[in-house]
Amino acid sequence: MAKLDFSFENAKKLMDGYYPLYIDGKWMDGSDKEVMDVYCPANQEKISSVACASEKDVDTAVKAAWRAFPAWSKISLTERYNILQQMYARLTARATELGMVESLETGKNMAGNVGEIYFAIDQFPYFASAMRVAEDGISSAADGSKTMAVREPVGVVGAICPWNAPIIMCAWKLAPALAAGNCVVMKPSSFTPAGTMELLKLVADLLPPGVFNVINGKGSKTGQFLMDHPGISKLSFTGSTEIGVQVGLAAAKRLIPATLELGGKSAGIYFADIVPDLLDEALGYAAVMLFMSGQGCALQTRCIVQESIYDMFVDRLAEVFRNYKVGMPWDTSARMGSIAYEAHMNSVLDYIDIGKKEGARLVCGGSRITSGEMGKGFFIEPTLFADVDNGMRIAQEEIFGPVLCVIKFKDEEDAIRIANDSVYGLGGGVMSGDLAKALRVAGAMRTGTVTINNAATHLAGAPFGGFKQSGLGRESYRTTLDHFSEIKTINFKY
Ligand code: NAD
């Protein structure tokens, strides 16, 4: 791994000043010449720009993907396996640089973000292997005949990604889509396109033209064109529940499948029996929600604490929050960076005001950081609200910022009721010294992932996705290949 300085200048040098569209194996400007600038949210400096895809460009990309599909879908598993492994090798060799680029455009802490890249690209060897062990079924319906159930690729996948973890989201869609034999047209978030473009540059020549196309542009234009294109045979979307519903409707209108990875308001339940042995660990896990400045879909943003330890827990957690170092993405001593863009920072600050007006007790934080170097960017202090009622808007709506709501519960039943009182169901956690109780509670939580006495770890091979309004389908798991395939029955007589 190359040794590089974590600095703004170095990271900026790793990016291109301008990224054209990538369609049919060629770099090209958008047909209407529209260009969008990319900024670093930590200091508001322009760091790059991208070409925007018009409706015509989206159409060109989808058609190129269909031209590539017959050959790509027929190459041998060994060949596809080798390509995915080579992609992984190239990305691994440049993981540090990818992490730096992504940090610059998202405002995330650079050193921590490099770890995220390794986690992201692990999808390539995982799906390279998973596709080789996936077996088609065969049964004997009647004497002298057999029924085979064979998996076939869906065709061309339209993939739409969010801004909070662009490279993870790209890898989580690209690796299984290619492994299942599909071609892809991907649209990264308009706020954070550069990381995906750098990933693309590293792997582009390993894939035949048209197999992987990347188009940039605003969601309301380029995203909408892609979502509505009649040539798309599956939509794979990660983003807000609001847009996810529109993607689901667009898919329903054309009767194509859609995987929807959407928002969350996950609950971490802290039982009194964590004291004393698990207390320090528990405080650390509660503060994990500050990771990515709280801009993570599955982060446990509701901290539900048993009444007998509530006051002590809030006091101790406030200490952790006050000492949690916020800094520029390239400050290696910092643990939390900035918010991803100005309008989103304002939305988080609005929620902090809403919380105060709703009567929650602001224990620490609550303001934008306006002094020093951070004053140039969009930074918010780690913010802790106590005495939160689960019916308050700050406990029900996804804030997507460094704001933790601490809620009191009486007993096991009460904890489960509060945790499940949400339209979302993505992540969740239980901390308890009683493993039987923790497993019982985990089983009762209506959510896609639950951690027990642990922080969130979503390794390749652990299914990720949501119950309720947190989405449809699962990523990062062997059954994800099924979401990218059609099953065909072939019945034959012999
Ligand atoms: P978003 O819904 O605003 O945007 C997501 C993507 O959709 C972007 O590429 C955007 O350009 C595009 N888009 C916007 N409008 C569109 C339209 N009309 N048609 C087609 N595409 C359109 O979400 P965001 O703000 O980028 O990301 C934050 C959200 O993503 C949060 O709600 C978060 O919880 C969610 N998220 C979920 C997961 C998960 O796996 N469940 C992971 C990361 C983020």
Side-chain angles (χ1 to χ4, degrees):
M1 185 173 72
K3 248 203 167 328
L4 284 167
D5 277 353
F6 289 139
S7 71
F8 175 79
E9 290 72 25
N10 269 338
K12 196 175 164 197
K13 272 189 229 149
L14 297 170
M15 307 169 91
D16 292 352
Y18 167 68
Y19 295 98
L21 307 173
Y22 186 73
I23 298 175
D24 206 10
K26 297 185 267 300
W27 296 94
M28 55 178 80
D29 294 329
S31 60
D32 61 10
K33 305 284 176 225
E34 198 190 334
V35 169
M36 204 169 53
D37 291 333
V38 184
Y39 293 88
C40 172
N43 60 12
Q44 298 197 59
E45 282 195 33
K46 183 182 155 187
I47 47 175
S48 185
S49 61
V50 288
C52 297
S54 65
E55 190 165 10
K56 187 170 158 227
D57 301 324
V58 174
D59 185 57
T60 307
V62 174
K63 286 182 175 146
W66 273 115
R67 278 197 303 279
F69 177 69
W72 174 250
S73 60
K74 286 191 188 72
I75 66 165
S76 71
L77 276 189
T78 320
E79 215 176 321
R80 211 181 299 154
Y81 172 87
N82 287 337
I83 292 174
L84 288 168
Q85 292 289 20
Q86 283 177 60
M87 290 171 83
Y88 177 61
R90 294 238 189 124
L91 296 171
T92 306
R94 305 284 288 177
T96 306
E97 291 87 341
L98 284 172
M100 290 171 74
V101 167
E102 191 188 78
S103 288
L104 220 56
E105 60 178 351
T106 56
K108 283 191 281 190
N109 174 271
M110 220 172 255
N113 202 45
V114 172
E116 236 186 76
I117 304 301
Y118 286 104
F119 165 72
I121 60 185
D122 195 27
Q123 296 286 313
F124 290 94
Y126 174 72
F127 280 108
S129 306
M131 74 180 181
R132 295 190 76 166
V133 295
E135 283 174 359
D136 293 332
I138 188 153
S139 59
S140 307
D143 194 31
S145 80
K146 294 275 180 210
T147 297
M148 292 195 298
V150 296
R151 253 185 232 95
E152 295 185 357
V154 288
V156 174
V157 174
I160 303 178
C161 304
W163 48 260
N164 66 330
I167 293 179
I168 293 182
M169 294 305 131
C170 166
W172 280 29
K173 296 179 187 320
L174 182 63
L178 295 181
N182 300 288
C183 296
V184 177
V185 180
M186 180 174 285
K187 192 200 90 63
S189 164
S190 47
F191 295 103
T192 57
T196 307
M197 299 316 278
E198 286 299 325
L199 179 149
L200 164 68
K201 278 167 59 189
L202 290 171
V203 300
D205 66 302
L206 295 173
L207 294 163
V211 170
F212 180 32
N213 308 274
V214 185
I215 51 170
N216 281 302
K218 292 217 164 63
S220 55
K221 289 170 82 176
T222 312
Q224 188 85 39
F225 299 143
L226 181 59
M227 167 170 120
D228 290 335
H229 196 289
I232 293 294
S233 32
K234 179 199 163 67
L235 285 163
S236 176
F237 173 84
T238 301
S240 61
T241 296
E242 188 193 347
I243 305 293
V245 169
Q246 294 181 36
V247 176
L249 288 171
K253 272 188 206 153
R254 305 204 304 283
L255 286 180
I256 59 169
T259 303
L260 305 172
E261 294 286 359
L262 311 178
K265 192 76 189 179
S266 304
I269 300 174
Y270 296 80
F271 282 99
D273 59 18
I274 57 172
V275 178
D277 296 354
L278 295 170
L279 181 61
D280 286 336
E281 251 175 81
L283 293 165
Y285 293 153
V288 164
M289 68 77 55
L290 294 173
F291 176 65
M292 297 164 87
S293 305
Q295 303 168 119
C297 50
L299 294 173
Q300 294 167 20
T301 51
R302 289 183 297 147
C303 178
I304 306 183
V305 183
Q306 196 152 21
E307 58 187 1
S308 59
I309 60 163
Y310 186 85
D311 291 337
M312 176 276 294
F313 195 90
V314 170
D315 288 348
R316 292 284 307 273
L317 192 55
E319 250 175 71
V320 176
F321 268 49
R322 286 193 191 99
N323 292 320
Y324 206 88
K325 183 154 183 227
V326 187
M328 301 307 270
W330 41 93
D331 174 353
T332 49
S333 68
R335 298 175 72 190
M336 185 179 118
S338 75
I339 300 293
Y341 58 95
E342 188 171 17
H344 185 52
M345 174 190 69
N346 289 333
S347 155
V348 176
L349 292 170
D350 283 348
Y351 269 113
I352 293 172
D353 275 344
I354 290 168
K356 289 187 215 159
K357 287 190 189 123
E358 287 180 308
R361 176 163 59 93
L362 181 65
V363 181
C364 65
S367 302
R368 178 178 181 181
I369 301 174
T370 51
S371 58
E373 207 184 358
M374 285 188 276
K376 292 190 228 151
F378 309 129
F379 290 84
I380 296 181
E381 296 166 331
T383 298
L384 192 66
F385 273 116
D387 304 341
V388 176
D389 181 284
N390 196 55
M392 290 177 180
R393 281 184 64 192
I394 56 166
Q396 287 293 323
E397 296 174 22
E398 187 182 42
I399 300 174
F400 224 53
V403 181
L404 182 62
C405 297
V406 195
I407 301 166
K408 198 181 283 180
F409 76 88
K410 282 193 180 57
D411 52 22
E412 187 177 322
E413 196 185 329
D414 197 30
I416 295 167
R417 178 190 62 75
I418 296 170
N420 285 340
D421 176 19
S422 171
V423 295
Y424 297 110
L426 192 56
V430 188
M431 289 290 300
S432 169
D434 176 348
L435 190 57
K437 177 168 69 182
L439 281 166
R440 201 163 57 228
V441 173
M445 288 171 84
R446 301 274 305 148
T447 187
T449 299
V450 186
T451 53
I452 294 178
N453 297 342
N454 198 2
T457 43
H458 301 295
L459 300 176
F464 187 81
F467 283 34
K468 301 192 268 183
Q469 291 187 26
S470 288
L472 280 179
R474 294 292 180 270
E475 288 187 324
S476 189
Y477 190 48
R478 58 188 162 75
T479 57
T480 306
L481 289 173
D482 297 343
H483 298 316
F484 284 98
S485 317
E486 289 280 13
I487 292 194
K488 179 182 282 177
T489 303
I490 300 177
N491 183 279
F492 65 95
K493 232 171 150 178
Y494 58 92

